[in-house]
Amino acid sequence: MEIIVCLDDRNGMLFNHRRQSRDRRVIENILEDSKGRRLWISSFSTVLFEGKLQDIIVDDRLLFRAGDNDLCFIENIPLHPFEGKIGTLVVYRWNRVYPADVSFDIDLNHGWRIKDTKEFSGYSHEKITKEIYTR
């Protein structure tokens, strides 16, 4: 399975109980990458994909139900228990530090290697870095 997350520079996922993933260009990029594949999100993430949910599976048990070739967009779910099922991690970085309430719980320095890095302009952030990790 391929996991997609948005992180700050200290691997924070949520700050002050707010999501870090609210950038429409990131969502557009995720939707473009998911063409021809199943994209799973939790009910927490539906607000980010309003008007585009017809091609998305909304399920709060997505990490238990998604298949090997599926994409899962994660904002607020611990991933460490599912690390063995993950083949690829796509990380969108804001290149900023926020006071995180929830942090990414996989250590990318152990067992993961960076395959690709791209930078692009976001809607709310001048520079967003997209990193793709594989085992």
Side-chain angles (χ1 to χ4, degrees):
M1 129 179 31
E2 184 171 310
I3 298 294
I4 304 163
V5 295
C6 297
L7 306 176
D8 72 7
D9 285 348
R10 282 196 229 147
N11 292 329
M13 295 174 76
L14 297 174
F15 69 100
N16 295 331
H17 306 288
R18 295 189 326 236
R19 62 179 31 96
Q20 288 200 25
S21 44
R22 189 172 209 107
D23 186 285
R24 66 179 76 151
R25 294 214 175 92
V26 168
I27 300 304
E28 290 167 1
N29 191 264
I30 291 168
L31 291 170
E32 181 67 29
D33 287 351
S34 70
K35 285 186 179 175
R37 297 174 69 191
R38 295 192 312 174
L39 174 62
W40 296 71
I41 65 172
S42 70
S43 58
F44 180 78
S45 302
T46 56
V47 67
L48 298 174
F49 294 89
E50 286 179 351
K52 299 165 180 77
L53 291 173
Q54 66 277 5
D55 297 323
I56 297 171
I57 302 162
V58 179
D59 189 327
D60 288 334
R61 296 189 43 83
L62 67 163
L63 294 173
F64 292 100
R65 296 186 172 144
D68 290 344
N69 296 315
D70 293 346
L71 301 162
C72 295
F73 177 69
I74 304 296
E75 293 186 277
N76 61 345
I77 301 170
L79 289 167
H80 183 70
F82 302 93
E83 188 170 1
K85 290 179 63 176
I86 302 169
T88 303
L89 281 161
V90 178
V91 178
Y92 290 92
R93 292 203 186 266
W94 300 136
N95 302 299
R96 294 185 184 162
V97 175
Y98 296 108
D101 300 314
V102 175
S103 293
F104 186 64
D105 62 347
I106 292 177
D107 184 350
L108 294 172
N109 294 314
H110 291 94
W112 295 94
R113 61 180 173 82
I114 196 154
K115 178 181 172 184
D116 194 18
T117 303
K118 294 179 185 171
E119 290 182 355
F120 62 94
S121 296
Y123 183 80
S124 61
H125 291 73
E126 289 177 26
K127 179 177 86 169
I128 294 174
T129 305
K130 179 181 179 181
E131 303 168 342
I132 301 173
Y133 293 85
T134 59
R135 294 192 170 274

